[in-house]
Amino acid sequence: MKVAAILLLCMALFHQGHSNSCQGRCGYGIDTSYSCQCNTACERYNDCCSDYYTLCKVGPTSCNGRCGESYNAQNPCHCNSQCSQYNNCCSDYSDYCSTGDSGATITDAEIKSLSETLFALDTNKASASQLILDPQALVADSQTSSQSDLSSRPLYKFVDENALFSRPTYAALLNLFDNYKRITGQAESFTSQQLTEQETFLKETMLNTELGRELFAFLYTKGVYKSEAEFIEDLKNMWFGLYSRYNGAMDSSGFEHIFAGEIKGGKVSGFHNWIRFYLLEKRGELNYYSHSFNGPWSNYPDVLGLQFHWDGYYKQVGSAVIGCSPEFDLALYSLCYIARPGKYCYLSLGGKQFIIQTYTWDNSSYGNGKKYIGSAYPVSM
C-alpha cells in the first residue's frame, strides 16, 4: 500500500507540473487529468494549453529539435528516417536532420559538438610563436575583383618549419603537393610511390592521430562505416579519385582542387590550404595582395579570405583555415562532405560559428554511385 501511495503521489506531482503545458502531448487524445488539452478539439472547446499554438501548431512544421522523433499522425510533417519514403518530411528536414550519401542521420547539434571536440584535439596546430602573419591590407568584398596589390610584404612573416613540418602529418602532406599538374585538361597519373604517399597521408592523419580516430569513432557509431579499413578506402576514393574538369581528361580530384589548387579558365580554382600558400609564397611563385575576411578567432586555427596571384593567375577570394594541422583540415572537410554534401555545414570552434560549403562532383561517381568531392572551403563573409 505504501508503494501504491507513493506512486499515486508521484503521478499527481507529475500532472501538476505538466498540466498546463503541451510539452510531449501534442496530438494526444483528451485527458481529463490535465487542466488543458493539446489536440485539435481544444480549439473548438477553447481549452487548449497556453503553449498549444507554439508547440503543436507552429513547432510541428519545423524539424528543429525533432529529428528522429516517433511518428505522430497529428503532426502536419515529420522528421524521422522514414519521412522521405512517405514524402511527408518538414521543409527544413534536410537542414536539421540531413542524411548524406551514407544514409545516416547526423544532426546540426552533433556536427557542432564533434567540431568542438576536434578543435580541442588539434594538438598539432601551430602556436602563436610558430606562425606569425602580416595580413596588411583589408579590403571590402566589392574590391576583391580589382586585382590590386595592396600589401608590400608577404602574408607569412614566420613559420617554424623545424617544429611543424617534421611532424608526421605535415610531412605526409608535403609529399603530395608536387604530384599534380595545376592546369586542368592535363591528365593526372601517379607512380606506385605517389599512390603510397596518398595512403600514408590518410593513415597518418586519420588513424595515427587522436583527432582522426575521433572522427572515425563518430562515423562508426552513426553506421557510416563498419571498419577503419572501409573508412580509409572511402576517403581514398572520395579525396584522391580522379575525374575530369576539362575536355574529358582525368585531370582533377578533391584533394588537388582543395589542398593543392588548380588553374581553370585563366584563373585560380580551389586552393584552400594555408601550408600550400606559405610554400609557394616562400618560393616567390605566389604574391599576396590583400584579405577580405578575418575570422573572430584570436589564436590558431583562424580563417582568412585571401586575394593573391599565383604565377600569373588571380584568385579573387581563396579562403583557408590558417594554422591548423593537416588532420584538422581533412577531418572537418570530410565530416562536412559526408554529413552535408553540397550544402552549408555549420560547425563550432571555440564557441564561435564556423561554416564550410561543400560541393559534390555530379558528372561521375565511384563505388555504388558515391560522388567525389567537387570542392569544400570555409565560408568567408
Side-chain angles (χ1 to χ4, degrees):
M1 294 294 294
K2 290 183 178 179
V3 174
I6 292 173
L7 180 60
L8 289 172
L9 177 61
C10 290
M11 292 176 64
L13 291 173
F14 175 83
H15 285 306
Q16 181 179 356
H18 292 80
S19 61
N20 295 318
S21 174
C22 284
Q23 186 71 43
R25 296 173 54 210
C26 293
Y28 291 172
I30 295 174
D31 187 339
T32 56
S33 66
Y34 290 99
S35 61
C36 57
Q37 305 302 319
C38 303
N39 50 52
T40 53
C42 76
E43 298 179 43
R44 297 197 304 272
Y45 294 104
N46 199 31
D47 61 352
C48 299
C49 295
S50 60
D51 56 5
Y52 168 73
Y53 286 95
T54 300
L55 295 181
C56 305
K57 298 291 283 187
V58 178
T61 64
S62 171
C63 283
N64 189 3
R66 296 175 55 209
C67 297
E69 70 174 11
S70 300
Y71 177 78
N72 185 337
Q74 297 294 324
N75 290 338
C77 60
H78 305 278
C79 307
N80 54 53
S81 59
Q82 293 184 308
C83 70
S84 298
Q85 177 183 345
Y86 291 98
N87 197 31
N88 57 9
C89 298
C90 296
S91 60
D92 59 1
Y93 173 75
S94 62
D95 295 329
Y96 290 103
C97 318
S98 179
T99 57
D101 289 343
S102 65
T105 298
I106 300 175
T107 68
D108 281 0
E110 288 173 326
I111 293 174
K112 290 179 180 177
S113 176
L114 178 59
S115 61
E116 284 288 3
T117 300
L118 299 179
F119 179 75
L121 290 175
D122 191 16
T123 56
N124 274 336
K125 67 183 178 182
S127 67
S129 63
Q130 293 167 337
L131 172 57
I132 301 174
L133 297 178
D134 186 10
Q136 301 166 81
L138 174 64
V139 301
D141 290 339
S142 59
Q143 295 178 270
T144 58
S145 61
S146 66
Q147 300 196 32
S148 301
D149 186 356
L150 302 176
S151 300
S152 59
R153 299 178 301 277
L155 172 64
Y156 288 92
K157 187 173 183 179
F158 172 73
V159 174
D160 191 340
E161 294 188 21
N162 291 332
L164 295 173
F165 292 175
S166 60
R167 297 171 183 174
T169 58
Y170 285 82
L173 176 63
L174 296 180
N175 286 336
L176 295 172
F177 285 141
D178 62 356
N179 293 349
Y180 296 95
K181 308 179 186 75
R182 66 173 184 161
I183 305 295
T184 56
Q186 300 180 15
E188 302 287 0
S189 61
F190 304 111
T191 65
S192 59
Q193 178 181 338
Q194 290 170 337
L195 292 174
T196 298
E197 289 171 351
Q198 295 174 7
E199 294 179 0
T200 299
F201 174 68
L202 292 175
K203 290 177 180 177
E204 287 292 350
T205 54
M206 295 294 101
L207 299 184
N208 293 345
T209 65
E210 188 176 358
L211 188 156
R213 291 191 295 270
E214 184 71 22
L215 174 63
F216 168 71
F218 172 80
L219 297 173
Y220 176 82
T221 60
K222 302 301 289 187
V224 179
Y225 300 110
K226 296 180 177 64
S227 66
E228 288 185 342
E230 182 186 0
F231 174 52
I232 294 299
E233 183 64 21
D234 193 44
L235 291 183
K236 181 180 176 181
N237 287 311
M238 182 191 306
W239 279 101
F240 293 102
L242 292 175
Y243 50 81
S244 176
R245 288 189 188 268
Y246 181 72
N247 206 28
M250 302 299 282
D251 59 357
S252 185
S253 67
F255 177 87
E256 179 180 7
H257 181 81
I258 297 166
F259 281 82
E262 301 176 299
I263 303 298
K264 181 181 179 182
K267 60 183 180 181
V268 178
S269 180
F271 201 130
H272 302 289
N273 180 257
W274 76 270
I275 299 170
R276 175 69 160 165
F277 190 111
Y278 162 72
L279 292 172
L280 290 172
E281 186 179 57
K282 179 184 175 183
R283 295 206 299 255
E285 298 176 21
L286 187 150
N287 185 13
Y288 168 65
Y289 279 12
S290 58
H291 67 288
S292 54
F293 177 84
N294 193 338
W297 297 273
S298 57
N299 297 311
Y300 300 120
D302 198 358
V303 177
L304 290 178
L306 307 168
Q307 293 74 55
F308 58 91
H309 251 270
W310 178 18
D311 199 17
Y313 299 93
Y314 185 63
K315 181 68 175 182
Q316 184 171 342
V317 181
S319 58
V321 184
I322 309 295
C324 69
S325 68
E327 57 265 35
F328 186 78
D329 243 356
L330 185 67
L332 287 194
Y333 288 140
S334 297
L335 168 64
C336 285
Y337 188 73
I338 292 166
R340 297 291 184 271
K343 300 174 182 177
Y344 268 13
C345 178
Y346 294 91
L347 307 107
S348 179
L349 305 181
K352 298 178 176 63
Q353 179 173 269
F354 174 53
I355 305 172
I356 286 177
Q357 170 73 62
T358 68
Y359 288 98
T360 59
W361 183 258
D362 296 330
N363 297 328
S364 57
S365 61
Y366 68 92
N368 189 23
K370 288 190 172 184
K371 296 177 180 179
Y372 299 104
I373 295 179
S375 188
Y377 56 83
V379 174
S380 55
M381 62 180 184

